[in-house]
Structure formats: C-alpha cells, structure tokens
C-alpha cells in the first residue's frame, strides 16, 4: 500500500493495493521476475504492476524478508543459477511424493523437476536407480486456478516423467477408479457431468457402496437461501432419526 499510494503516487482506486499484491503473487507462481512479467504484459497495466513488483522486491530485500511465494520461487531461481547447490539437494531427496498434483503451479513444478532431474533436460541421461517421483491427483478436481494452479501439469506427467504410452499399455500410471465415499447414484451423476470435460485423463468412477437415495436438486436464489435449505434438511433428518 505504501508503494502504491506514497512511493509511486498511484490512484489506489485504479490500482487497489490488494489487487496489485494478488497480481504479483500470480506472477511469482508462474515463475516470472518483474522483467519477465513485463514481457508477458507489455501494456500500461502490466508496466505499472511491474514497477510496483520491482519496488516491492526492493522493500523485501531492505527488510531481509521473503513473502510466502518467495519460499518456492527463490530456491527455484537459486537452483537454476547454481549447479553445486542444486546437486546437493538433488542427492538429498531421492524419492519425491506430491499429493493433489492437479493443483500444482508452474513454480512448484519447476522446483519438483529440478530436484528430480538435477537440471538435466535430456531424458535419456536421467538416472532412475534408487530414485523415484510419485504424484497423486485428479484433473477433474482442480479448483485452484485462481492461485495459478495448472491442471495441465498433471495431464503432462506421463510425457514429462512417465513412459508416455497409451493408458492400456503404460507401466507408469495407475488409475484409482474405485470410490469408497459415495453411493452409485451420486457417482453416476458425477460421471455423466465430468465426461463433458475436454481435457482430462479418461476414467470411470466405480461404486463400492449401495445404490443410495435418488438425487434431489434444489435451486436457491442466493447463498442465504441455500444455507437455510441445508439447515432445514438437517433438522428434518434429525427429527426423523
């Protein structure tokens, strides 16, 4: 806020500090430095955000501080610039597991790839002896795009690290299709909805529980009416049981 309103004397209605901070966070989650961000956003808005971003990084440095996004971005930049440091951490972490991989952003992906490959781009030179990477995720459940999560990172895993073979032939992907949480009616509706997604790893959720009750759809006018409906349903069930 100090940078926007005092240092750069910007209109904080056009460049609301929280929105600017959000834009800087998104830039860092894509691995962009201020200069790289400006190349991607060369118009007036992008140039102003770049200027704030640069000042913001200077302020952090003056305070000997990092923000939350820097905790991944700075190590990634360090690994890219210093082979000795990268090699140390590459040897330290031989087996890497990532959960909720569909919600990975590009900076997180760069960190994972550097640790796994030691910065070697030629897949033929990768040494997998006593080394592995295992990720778990579902592209159909990606919900953090507003935080620059990119579900295509999951879709590209087979090409990046696996054998790249079709689903029926691959030895590097296991589909977990049995569902232990929901009843058959819920899964049938979910399958019919999800199959409309154009970018996904094809799968069919299979029930392990009974058919369950028929699905009831309720349309609420707003979030308050929705909450009241849910509460009334709970009260009804409580009276019945």
């Amino acid at each position: 806020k100090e940078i926007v309103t005092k240092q750069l004397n910007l209109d904080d209605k056009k460049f609301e500090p929280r929105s600017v901070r959000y834009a800087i966070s998104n830039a860092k989650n894509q691995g962009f430095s201020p200069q790289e961000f400006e190349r991607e956003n060369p118009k007036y808005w992008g140039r102003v955000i770049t200027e704030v971003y640069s000042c913001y990084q200077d302020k952090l440095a003056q305070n000997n501080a990092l923000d939350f996004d820097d905790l991944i971005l700075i190590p990634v930049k360090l690994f890219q610039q210093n082979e000795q440091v990268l090699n140390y951490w590459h040897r330290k972490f031989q087996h890497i597991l990532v959960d909720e991989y569909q919600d990975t952003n590009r900076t997180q992906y760069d960190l994972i790839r550097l640790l796994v490959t030691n910065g070697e781009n030629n897949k033929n030179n990768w040494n997998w002896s006593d080394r592995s990477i295992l990720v778990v995720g579902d592209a159909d459940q990606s919900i953090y795009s507003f935080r620059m999560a990119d579900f295509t990172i999951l879709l590209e895993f087979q090409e990046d690290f696996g054998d790249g073979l079709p689903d029926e032939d691959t030895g590097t992907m296991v589909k977990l299709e049995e569902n232990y949480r929901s009843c058959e009616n819920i899964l049938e509706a979910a399958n019919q909805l999800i199959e409309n997604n154009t970018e996904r790893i094809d799968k069919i959720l299979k029930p392990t529980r009974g058919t369950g009750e028929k699905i009831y759809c309720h349309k609420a006018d707003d979030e308050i009416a929705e909450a009241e409906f849910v509460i009334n349903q709970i009260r009804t069930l409580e009276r019945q049981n």
Side-chain angles (χ1 to χ4, degrees):
K1 184 175 182 179
E2 182 181 304
I3 292 167
V4 170
T5 59
K6 295 181 181 178
Q7 185 173 339
L8 298 180
N9 197 29
L10 297 170
D11 183 347
D12 61 1
K13 291 184 172 61
K14 288 183 179 178
F15 295 95
E16 200 274 320
R18 182 176 294 182
S19 299
V20 174
R21 177 70 190 87
Y22 180 72
I24 293 172
S25 176
N26 284 349
K28 291 185 177 186
N29 285 327
Q30 292 174 285
F32 292 152
S33 66
Q35 296 74 25
E36 290 166 332
F37 179 80
E38 186 172 20
R39 280 200 296 270
E40 294 290 320
N41 302 273
K43 295 183 179 180
Y44 175 69
W45 178 86
R47 295 197 303 272
V48 173
I49 299 297
T50 297
E51 190 174 10
V52 179
Y53 186 179
S54 296
C55 294
Y56 175 67
Q57 291 303 103
D58 290 341
K59 288 284 188 184
L60 286 173
Q62 289 167 17
N63 287 280
N64 197 29
L66 300 177
D67 66 17
F68 184 76
D69 300 308
D70 285 332
L71 297 180
I72 293 180
L73 179 62
I74 297 300
V76 166
K77 297 295 185 185
L78 176 61
F79 289 165
Q80 290 170 338
Q81 296 167 14
N82 192 311
E83 292 181 8
Q84 186 176 356
V85 173
L86 173 58
N87 185 55
Y88 172 83
W89 292 102
H90 168 71
R91 287 186 285 107
K92 191 173 183 68
F93 293 107
Q94 294 170 280
H95 304 285
I96 294 176
L97 164 65
V98 186
D99 196 13
E100 304 291 359
Y101 194 65
Q102 76 277 357
D103 292 322
T104 304
N105 62 47
R106 284 291 158 183
T107 306
Q108 292 167 335
Y109 170 77
D110 288 341
L111 177 69
I112 295 161
R113 186 180 178 91
L114 286 163
L115 288 173
V116 171
T117 68
N118 202 23
E120 173 60 63
N121 292 320
N122 188 341
K123 293 177 71 172
N124 295 326
N125 294 334
W126 292 354
N127 180 9
W128 289 107
S129 59
D130 198 29
R131 180 170 294 281
S132 65
I133 176 170
L134 170 67
V135 304
V136 184
D138 181 356
D140 295 324
Q141 295 188 47
S142 182
I143 60 172
Y144 287 108
S145 59
F146 68 93
R147 245 173 25 197
M148 304 313 292
D150 184 353
F151 71 91
T152 63
I153 292 172
L154 171 62
L155 300 181
E156 293 163 3
F157 181 85
Q158 279 284 73
E159 293 298 323
D160 291 342
F161 299 106
D163 53 27
L165 296 175
D167 291 2
E168 59 272 14
D169 300 322
T170 182
T172 54
M173 179 172 67
V174 178
K175 293 185 181 182
L176 306 175
E177 296 182 300
E178 288 185 284
N179 183 290
Y180 299 93
R181 177 185 296 167
S182 301
C183 295
E184 184 178 352
N185 283 336
I186 294 289
L187 294 182
E188 185 177 344
N191 284 330
Q192 290 186 30
L193 182 65
I194 290 169
E195 70 181 11
N196 292 295
N197 289 353
T198 54
E199 294 181 280
R200 62 189 300 263
I201 297 172
D202 188 47
K203 67 182 184 302
I204 296 293
L205 300 175
K206 302 169 185 174
T208 57
R209 302 175 66 182
T211 304
E213 297 179 27
K214 289 184 178 181
I215 294 173
Y216 173 78
C217 294
H218 174 78
K219 183 177 180 181
D221 292 329
D222 53 36
E223 71 277 13
I224 295 173
E226 180 183 19
E228 288 176 344
F229 171 77
V230 172
I231 291 167
N232 288 333
Q233 290 295 104
I234 293 170
R235 286 173 173 162
T236 299
L237 291 169
E238 190 178 38
R239 284 196 300 269
Q240 292 174 352
N241 300 279

